[in-house]
């Protein structure tokens, strides 16, 4: 069977009424949390993880995929209507989109964002469909040393790319790796770094750390610098996309997709750089450059929004094929797989074909659902913004408590929550990136396992790490990530 | 105001990073560093991570000495330029600390009620009664729903013997 046959089979699974319902729940929930401040896709999936005890893995991942994509759509709505980009990926959308809305073209901006997201999401999913099996095949020839080099590359790029300072990026990453070593060592059975605390023998759960950093840290930070200035969303009315708008939008959609997808696939690519590149590119190619920064140029919304969604789909390639998460959301998805006793990677495509292809097929369906949920119904989502902020953040804390207490009902987890939550506050105040902590926490143990397996196979000779061309290539690229940031900074300064 | 001309120097940040690195190195000290076959053992990675943290902490200290600026990250509803409001921070922190001591005995709904009210208050809400009631309803409802889903959230109100 080729990819196409597998995909048809996947549609058979994703189109089952119950799975359609899960996709709808996920998409609606994703859009809602994308609109709401203080809660993003990673935190939502972490809080939904306890639910996985009750539902089958296929249904759970179809719902999670809906949350992942839906958050992108919801995020662009708030960027355009109230100029608050919920995440770094929609920062560029806010630049032009909000200006368009102020100029009475809010409906057109929302439409080009939603349709662009749909176009990019669908094209990127097609790319995922046909690329993933090949990458998975490739992974079969990876040896432990290659995997170790690949994870090292992911570490370097995540620490370098995310955030404003390499030193702080690496500190965040190493704190995550350090937390990952706590607990029983899988290879020797020895307890490590638990300092006699029995409750830490099982290690520190990713869910606990993620919820503490994203919910508790965020609540502490916003509470301490709360700005109650009530932002009123700009009216959605105004003229819809004209023929002229379509003519100006379709090329940026495609260019954004071409930029976003590969950057999402690469470790550490994330969504910030592709959206920034797309914005810079559109600004350069635009026929009416005078609209940029004044009345708002539609190209500046169409391109970055497409890049954002394509990157989100791209992140799924390394996650599904290699088990390599490159964003906070991907890290929690990996934890969800582990909750079910599944290990993403090449074997997943053969051992759990129903799950993988059902999930991929549901991405197509979710995208179509989201287009419908977001175009005619956008007014409904905007109404969510009228929830009073004090009660909204209070509610987030209650759900965070349930998410953490529900993991194992352990008092230690609650203590970890407070310590990591305060750390999350400090990291926000002193501008340390958060995602590398989570990547280090989940990939650290994997890196260590691969390293030790590789060394074991050669009686401890470190030369095993540079024996294959694959591992050498990854290590060289890892070294290169140190050269790239100055280049990126120059780009940022230009835009 | 002197703050504008002189950058604040948060030495304690670097000190914490170095201290955390030292904790890793100390914790690894009791672990065998090398096994016979692999060349490295369970202590190797914690030790390396600890050393790296110490080095990075020292680099951070150098950066701070050179006047590195730290700008708070931008988030929705927060104005990074505002000075810290210590009372609001303390209230929200108490809301997070309380469950450590109270969740097991008081049960989730009651703790949710109090923590909800504390966070809402830290965000400036003055409607005490409304917050208490909403917190209690949210906590009880969530407890019921997640309990039905098979999640172990402890008793409803353990101190009153309600499971």
């Amino acid at each position: 069977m080729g990819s196409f046959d597998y995909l048809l089979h996947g549609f058979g699974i994703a189109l089952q009424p119950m799975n359609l319902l899960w996709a709808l729940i996920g998409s609606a929930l994703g859009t809602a949390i994308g609109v709401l401040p203080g809660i993003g896709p990673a935190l939502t999936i972490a809080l939904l993880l306890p639910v996985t005890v009750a539902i089958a893995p296929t249904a759970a991942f179809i719902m999670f995929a809906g949350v992942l994509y839906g958050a992108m759509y919801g995020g662009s709505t708030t960027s355009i209507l109230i100029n608050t980009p919920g995440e770094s990926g929609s920062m560029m959308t806010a630049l032009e989109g909000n200006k368009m809305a102020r100029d009475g073209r809010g409906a057109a901006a929302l439409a080009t964002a939603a349709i662009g997201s749909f176009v990019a999401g669908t094209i990127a999913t097609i790319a995922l469909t046909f690329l993933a099996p090949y990458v998975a095949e490739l992974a079969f020839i990876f040896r432990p040393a290659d995997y170790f080099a690949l994870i090292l590359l992911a570490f370097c790029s995540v620490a370098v790319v995310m955030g404003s300072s390499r030193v702080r990026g690496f500190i965040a990453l190493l704190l995550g790796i350090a937390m990952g070593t706590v607990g029983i060592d899988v290879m020797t059975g020895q307890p490590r770094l638990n300092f006699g605390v029995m409750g830490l023998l099982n290690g520190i759960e990713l869910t606990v750390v993620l919820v503490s950093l994203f919910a508790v840290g965020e609540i502490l930070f916003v509470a301490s610098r709360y700005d109650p200035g009530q932002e009123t969303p700009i009216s959605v009315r105004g003229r819809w996309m004209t023929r002229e708008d379509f003519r100006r939008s379709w090329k940026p959609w495609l260019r954004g997709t071409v930029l976003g997808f590969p950057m999402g696939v690469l470790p550490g690519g994330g969504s910030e750089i592709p959206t920034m590149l797309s914005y810079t590119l559109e600004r350069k190619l635009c026929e009416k450059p005078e609209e940029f920064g004044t009345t708002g140029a539609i190209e500046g919304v169409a391109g970055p929004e497409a890049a954002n969604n394509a990157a989100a789909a791209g992140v799924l390639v390394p996650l599904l094929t290699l088990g390599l998460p490159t964003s906070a959301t991907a890290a929690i998805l990996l934890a969800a797989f582990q909750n079910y006793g599944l290990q993403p990677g090449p074997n997943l495509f053969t051992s759990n074909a129903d799950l993988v292809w059902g999930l991929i097929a549901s991405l197509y369906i979710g995208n179509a659902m989201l287009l419908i949920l977001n175009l005619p119904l956008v007014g409904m989502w905007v109404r969510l913004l009228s929830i009073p902020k004090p009660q909204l953040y209070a509610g987030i804390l209650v759900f965070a408590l349930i998410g953490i207490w529900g993991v194992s009902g352990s008092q230690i987890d609650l203590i970890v929550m407070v310590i990591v939550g305060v750390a999350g506050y400090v990291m926000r105040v002193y501008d340390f990136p958060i995602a590398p902590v989570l990547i280090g926490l989940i990939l650290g143990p994997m890196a260590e396992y691969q390293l030790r397996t590789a060394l074991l196979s050669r009686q401890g000779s470190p030369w095993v790490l540079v024996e294959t061309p694959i591992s050498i290539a990854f290590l060289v690229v890892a070294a290169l990530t140190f050269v790239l940031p100055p280049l990126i900074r120059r780009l940022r300064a230009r835009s | 105001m002197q703050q504008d001309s002189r950058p604040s120097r948060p030495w304690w940040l670097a000190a914490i990073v170095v201290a955390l690195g030292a904790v890793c190195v100390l914790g690894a000290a009791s672990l065998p560093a090398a096994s016979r076959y692999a060349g490295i053992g369970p202590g190797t990675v914690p030790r390396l991570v600890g050393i790296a943290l110490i080095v990075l902490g020292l680099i951070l200290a150098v950066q701070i000495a050179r006047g590195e600026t730290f700008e708070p990250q931008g988030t929705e509803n927060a104005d990074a330029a505002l000075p810290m409001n210590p009372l609001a921070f303390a209230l929200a922190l108490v809301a997070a600390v309380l469950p450590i001591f109270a969740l097991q005995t008081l049960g989730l709904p009651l703790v949710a009620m109090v923590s909800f009210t504390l966070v809402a208050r830290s965000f400036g809400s003055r409607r005490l009664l409304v917050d208490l009631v909403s917190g209690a309803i949210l906590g009880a409802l969530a407890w019921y729903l997640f309990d039905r889903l098979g999640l172990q959230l402890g008793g409803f109100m353990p101190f009153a013997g309600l499971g």
Side-chain angles (χ1 to χ4, degrees), chain A residues 168 425-432, chain B residues 10 12-13 70-72:
Chain A
R168 281 174 260 167
Y425 167 81
V426 173
M427 291 176 79
R428 278 176 174 76
V429 175
Y430 291 93
D431 200 12
F432 286 76
Chain B
W12 56 273
L13 264 183
F70 297 88
E71 281 174 29

Side-chain angles (χ1 to χ4, degrees), chain A residues 154 158 267 315 318-319 323-327 329-332 334 439 442-443 446:
Chain A
V158 163
V315 167
L319 177 69
L324 193 76
T326 53
S327 71
T329 316
I332 192 70
L334 180 58
I439 305 278
I442 197 149
L443 283 185
M446 270 159 79

Side-chain angles (χ1 to χ4, degrees), chain A residues 50-340:
Chain A
V51 180
T52 56
V53 292
I55 61 176
T58 310
F61 282 105
I62 286 176
M63 177 170 68
F64 293 161
V67 172
L68 175 69
Y69 274 25
M72 300 283 159
Y73 282 77
S76 62
T77 304
T78 47
S79 301
I80 292 168
L81 294 182
I82 54 174
N83 198 13
T84 51
E87 31 117 33
S88 51
S90 19
M91 220 138 67
M92 294 297 150
T93 312
L95 277 183
E96 296 305 310
N98 190 248
K99 294 208 172 69
M100 283 182 72
R102 281 177 200 286
D103 196 42
R105 290 185 295 155
L110 286 170
T112 197
I115 301 173
S117 298
F118 172 75
V119 170
T122 306
I123 296 176
T125 310
I126 293 172
L128 164 74
T129 309
F130 294 96
L131 181 66
Y134 288 104
V135 181
E137 288 288 321
L138 198 74
F140 274 120
I141 59 169
F142 277 16
R143 297 200 203 153
D146 302 331
Y147 257 114
F148 175 71
L150 178 65
I151 298 174
L152 221 53
L153 164 62
F155 280 166
C156 288
S157 46
V158 163
V160 168
V161 171
M162 294 178 178
S164 53
S165 144
R166 268 183 283 179
V167 173
R168 281 174 260 167
F170 273 105
I171 290 174
L173 176 76
L174 285 163
L175 289 178
I177 299 177
M179 281 194 276
T181 62
V182 174
I184 299 222
D185 172 35
V186 277
M187 295 186 86
T188 59
Q190 271 172 323
R192 294 197 294 182
L193 300 188
N194 70 328
F195 300 99
V197 180
M198 293 298 284
L200 286 177
L201 279 181
N202 285 328
I204 301 177
E205 288 268 354
L206 178 80
T207 318
V208 175
V209 175
L210 192 146
V211 173
S212 311
L213 284 174
F214 278 109
V216 181
E218 176 91 356
I219 290 167
L220 289 173
F221 180 65
V222 181
S224 72
R225 286 164 178 78
Y226 181 50
D227 174 16
Q230 200 62 56
E231 67 279 269
T232 32
I234 300 167
S235 157
V236 190
R237 279 170 300 173
R239 112 188 112 80
W240 212 69
M241 278 179 86
T242 58
R243 190 182 291 259
E244 165 81 1
D245 287 334
F246 266 107
R247 196 184 57 75
R248 286 174 60 182
S249 287
W250 71 270
K251 279 185 200 156
W253 290 339
L254 296 182
R255 282 193 290 258
T257 311
V258 171
L259 279 175
F261 183 74
M263 300 280 259
V265 173
L266 294 175
S271 60
E272 198 183 340
I273 296 170
T275 49
M276 212 163 54
L277 282 176
S278 165
Y279 182 83
T280 319
L281 182 70
E282 295 311 330
R283 189 170 190 161
K284 205 164 281 175
L285 294 175
C286 180
E287 4 176 311
K288 295 180 177 166
E290 70 278 5
E291 281 187 12
F292 270 87
T294 51
T295 54
I298 197 160
E299 290 90 344
V301 182
E305 265 310 296
N308 193 3
N309 266 54
V315 167
L316 291 176
V317 175
L319 177 69
L320 290 176
T321 57
L322 305 172
L324 193 76
T326 53
S327 71
T329 316
I332 192 70
L333 282 173
L334 180 58
F337 276 109
Q338 291 171 347
N339 259 18
Y340 280 114

Side-chain angles (χ1 to χ4, degrees), chain A residues 5 91 136 158 251 268 286 344 355 406 408 463 482 495:
Chain A
D5 299 312
M91 220 138 67
V158 163
K251 279 185 200 156
C286 180
L355 169 66
S408 53
W463 292 108
F482 287 87
S495 76

Side-chain angles (χ1 to χ4, degrees), chain B residues 2 8 10 21 36 42 63 70 72 82 87 97 100 109 111 113-114 116 122 133 139 142 159-160:
Chain B
Q2 278 192 317
S8 66
R36 238 166 102 196
Q63 288 186 333
F70 297 88
L82 282 176
L87 183 69
V97 171
I100 299 174
V111 170
M113 179 180 86
V114 180
F116 185 96
S122 80
V133 173
F159 69 97

